[in-house]
Amino acid sequence: MSTPLDTDAKLAAYAHPEKLVTTAWLAEHLGEEGLVVVESDEDVLLWDTGHIPGSVKVDWHTELNDSVTRDYVDGEGFARLMAAKGISRDDTVVVYGDKNNWWAAYALWVFTLFGHPDVRLLDGGRAKWIAEGRETTTEAPQRPTTQYPVVEREDTGIRAFKEDVLAHVQAPGGGKLVDVRSPQEYTGERTHMPDYPEEGTVRGGHIPGADSVPWARAAAEDGTFKSREELEAIYQGEKGLSPEDDVIAYCRIGERSSHTWFVLSQLLGFGQVRNYDGSWTEWGNAVRVPIAKGPEKGSVGTSA
Amino acid sequence: MAEIVEDFQALPDRERLQLLLEFSQGLRPLPAEFEGHLEKMERVDECQSPVFISVEVDGQDGGAPVHLHVSAPAEAPTTRGFAGVLQEGLDGLPAQVVLDLPGDVCHRLGLDQAVSPLRMRGMTGMLARVKRQVRVATAT
């Protein structure tokens, strides 16, 4: 850890306060040696319209994915990308983005697959930085190319594949899952958007046994994460999940569920949380996987 | 529309994004009747940002010219860019020509690589809604 931690009181209550920084902390440390700010947005042009000074753009869609296979880049691809962006293995990386850090959390999750030692999220993301009237620029930073080591991606700890999810739901008593999509997607009344069959799935519904917690419930009005107490009331109080549980989160393509993965694992300290990036676009199109419809959680035994 | 497609095609990937950014900046402000009255417009659900469209057709037959009004927030420049391309590309075209536009016209801009296919869906969805409004306006 080359860069000091943010000791903000709200962050201190989380299980892993070292995974977050506030906008005030970032403003204070901006430009320091060993700190790289990364913007990762849903909107591919947003960084170009103005960004935190010195920040580099990393686009989840076009840079973190393999261009052919539905998968992320491999160790060599990640090393190449990091070198080109001017990021070293021992740099502290602070990621921020639009839409409550929706895609920023996804980028952070991918950085974590490669075990980048120190990667943090800016609490409140882009919207909060701008709402506070902090400095932005359209100038592209000039970062010299770095040497980033080739580290193979570790897909077992925080990533779940379809087969893992199947084993999870078929386990005795059924595994714990969190479906973070909209209630309409969860019940199955919506398989795709109107006029929009190409993003649709052949089946609507949810994975049997999944609790419905739309991802945005974890965010406060200003896009920051809710306090630890509020988050515990939702996931532990209302849904009965516990930090000892083995939990899988999913959405449509794994981006909103990365946000929930972050909440459960980093903020609430759940020890075993995996993100199922295949999510509903894979599950809802797969042959012979069990699906539950309607508002009830269902289980493998009761799924239609 | 064909001209805009040619303009995009003539550029390398990186510069296509720049051109899209210019289109986003060129999106016309809403006419007064819609200002503060987004309920009079149709929300484009396919876009993850609050985007609203309204199609104006000057007449009821297939030859009537079409105009497109769009509201898209500043923090959604890609969506604004898509809207800007459609606004400029369709403006004044006869209704029937708009209805006959091929469904894949958005993909002909050559942005799939630079923008990603997932994001292109917002534009495809927007065009589908424009066509539907034109169809409704010209139905006799």
Side-chain angles (χ1 to χ4, degrees):
Chain A
M1 297 270 177
S2 50
T3 311
L5 298 178
D6 189 338
T7 54
D8 175 82
K10 176 201 157 193
L11 304 191
Y14 294 131
H16 295 284
E18 73 279 8
K19 301 302 289 184
L20 276 173
V21 299
T22 56
T23 48
W25 181 96
L26 185 59
E28 187 187 335
H29 292 277
L30 212 55
E32 284 180 11
E33 192 65 32
L35 171 71
V36 186
V37 183
V38 166
E39 177 163 351
S40 206
D41 292 323
E42 189 269 324
D43 193 299
V44 70
L45 293 177
L46 199 49
W47 180 87
D48 300 86
T49 66
H51 48 263
I52 295 179
S55 67
V56 292
K57 168 176 161 181
V58 172
D59 189 62
W60 177 89
H61 285 275
T62 56
E63 294 180 315
L64 292 176
N65 279 273
D66 183 276
S67 57
V68 181
T69 309
R70 183 175 173 185
D71 202 354
Y72 306 104
V73 291
D74 60 10
E76 280 181 16
F78 189 72
R80 257 197 315 272
L81 178 71
M82 292 299 99
K85 300 285 175 188
I87 298 172
S88 303
R89 184 79 178 166
D90 54 0
D91 279 338
T92 294
V93 174
V94 171
V95 194
Y96 78 100
D98 59 357
K99 299 192 167 57
N100 299 347
N101 279 330
W102 183 346
W103 295 90
Y106 208 166
L108 179 141
W109 180 79
V110 175
F111 273 66
T112 308
L113 290 176
F114 291 100
H116 187 91
D118 187 6
V119 54
R120 314 176 193 178
L121 207 53
L122 175 67
D123 197 22
R126 185 182 162 98
K128 189 164 194 280
W129 183 270
I130 288 172
E132 290 168 346
R134 297 186 188 274
E135 192 190 349
T136 58
T137 178
T138 52
E139 233 169 278
Q142 301 300 320
R143 297 191 62 83
T145 307
T146 54
Q147 293 286 321
Y148 195 94
V150 174
V151 179
E152 281 319 310
R153 212 179 53 227
E154 175 52 70
D155 281 334
T156 51
I158 60 169
R159 186 179 185 190
F161 294 99
K162 182 171 126 252
E163 298 70 28
D164 302 327
V165 178
L166 205 50
H168 191 70
V169 297
Q170 289 169 337
K176 309 269 189 195
L177 296 115
V178 179
D179 181 320
V180 314
R181 297 170 302 156
S182 65
Q184 295 79 6
E185 291 169 287
Y186 179 85
T187 59
E189 67 189 80
R190 171 182 284 176
T191 52
H192 64 78
M193 307 290 186
D195 283 338
Y196 214 177
E198 67 195 278
E199 197 183 328
T201 45
V202 190
R203 294 286 183 273
H206 55 270
I207 301 175
D211 278 298
S212 168
V213 188
W215 71 284
R217 288 192 64 193
E221 282 293 307
D222 63 357
T224 57
F225 288 106
K226 285 179 178 165
S227 69
R228 179 159 190 175
E229 208 175 325
E230 291 168 304
L231 294 172
E232 281 177 351
I234 296 169
Y235 296 96
Q236 289 161 250
E238 185 185 320
K239 298 299 175 187
L241 296 170
S242 133
E244 292 74 49
D245 288 339
D246 178 0
V247 183
I248 291 177
Y250 71 93
C251 58
R252 279 166 93 83
I253 61 164
E255 83 292 12
R256 288 171 283 179
S257 45
S258 308
H259 189 271
T260 300
W261 165 83
F262 188 87
V263 169
L264 294 173
S265 64
Q266 310 302 312
L267 306 185
L268 297 181
F270 279 50
Q272 282 189 81
V273 188
R274 284 173 291 170
N275 183 27
Y276 170 36
D277 55 275
S279 273
W280 199 256
T281 47
E282 178 177 52
W283 195 268
N285 285 320
V287 175
R288 283 195 161 177
V289 295
I291 289 175
K293 284 181 98 72
E296 299 303 323
K297 280 166 61 168
S299 66
V300 174
T302 61
S303 62
Chain B
M1 196 71 196
E3 270 174 49
I4 295 178
V5 168
E6 272 174 39
D7 289 346
F8 272 97
Q9 288 291 356
L11 295 170
D13 258 4
R14 177 70 222 149
E15 289 170 36
R16 285 177 193 172
L17 276 186
Q18 204 49 45
L19 183 57
L20 189 64
L21 190 59
E22 285 166 28
F23 271 103
S24 81
Q25 291 154 346
L27 189 66
R28 289 198 303 265
L30 279 184
E33 63 174 302
F34 295 120
E35 204 51 68
H37 291 287
L38 293 177
E39 73 283 355
K40 292 184 182 173
M41 303 176 82
E42 178 181 359
R43 178 162 182 164
V44 182
D45 281 336
E46 292 80 16
C47 297
Q48 292 173 346
S49 307
V51 174
F52 298 83
I53 61 164
S54 178
V55 180
E56 194 182 326
V57 186
D58 301 339
Q60 289 192 312
D61 57 58
V66 167
H67 308 285
L68 172 61
H69 306 297
V70 188
S71 160
E75 62 272 19
T78 299
T79 306
R80 285 182 64 88
F82 291 159
V85 169
L86 290 177
Q87 187 175 65
E88 188 170 320
L90 305 180
D91 200 60
L93 284 184
Q96 195 55 49
V97 174
V98 173
L99 291 176
D100 292 342
L101 278 175
D104 71 344
V105 71
C106 303
H107 295 281
R108 297 186 192 183
L109 299 168
L111 282 166
D112 291 54
Q113 282 290 349
V115 168
S116 88
L118 267 180
R119 290 182 174 120
M120 287 305 296
R121 291 169 180 171
M123 190 173 186
T124 314
M126 212 181 296
L127 180 61
R129 284 165 189 276
V130 169
K131 285 187 178 187
R132 202 175 52 206
Q133 285 197 26
V134 171
R135 216 171 286 127
V136 169
T138 54
T140 43

